Amino acid sequence: MNIIDTSCWIEYLMNSDIGAQVAPFAENPGELVVPTITIYEVYKKLLAEKDEEYALDVVSYMQTGTVIDLNTTLCLSAAQIGRIHKLPMADSIIYATSLHYSAILWTCDRHFKDIPLIKYFPKSQ
């Protein structure tokens, strides 16, 4: 199973080099776990930078994976993870979901740089 972090979804949608590296996972929804917080973040970003129709099309595609709603178990785990790794709330929820579902987390978000069990792609400046 795989989780694509918001940062990598955006790279994928921009057809960047990082996006090309995560494309095999983005294009295999049967192996994709999609935390609802990721849907929120992608939708919000696309609303700001594109238009609502495009944003809804992307959300519709993301929902072809296994969508994981936030629940109490994930909340408590995310809170502990956030404290330990000093992660913001959304990143804590995404990482907790990846651990709970034994999914590889693909990201280029520097908050995850030194955290175990992450496939991190540094963005060139």
Side-chain angles (χ1 to χ4, degrees), residues 5 33 52 55 58 62 66 90 96 98 110 115 118 120:
D5 182 44
V33 173
E52 185 176 15
V58 170
M62 290 173 76
T66 302
S98 73
R110 71 176 190 270
I115 297 177
I118 302 287
Y120 172 71

Side-chain angles (χ1 to χ4, degrees), residues 2-57:
N2 296 285
I3 291 180
I4 300 172
D5 182 44
T6 305
S7 60
C8 279
W9 273 114
I10 299 304
E11 294 293 324
Y12 170 72
L13 296 169
M14 293 182 346
N15 295 313
S16 72
D17 290 340
I18 292 171
Q21 293 181 66
V22 298
F25 312 106
E27 296 168 1
N28 185 4
E31 291 292 315
L32 199 56
V33 173
V34 183
T36 52
I37 192 80
T38 306
I39 293 172
Y40 165 86
E41 289 183 320
V42 169
Y43 182 69
K44 182 178 178 184
K45 176 101 171 147
L46 294 177
L47 280 177
E49 296 184 5
K50 299 284 187 181
D51 60 58
E52 185 176 15
E53 183 178 348
Y54 180 72
L56 287 171
D57 286 345

Side-chain angles (χ1 to χ4, degrees), residues 63-80:
Q63 290 178 299
T64 62
T66 302
V67 176
I68 305 299
D69 292 327
L70 185 58
N71 59 39
T72 303
T73 300
L74 288 175
C75 282
L76 298 178
S77 178
Q80 291 177 347

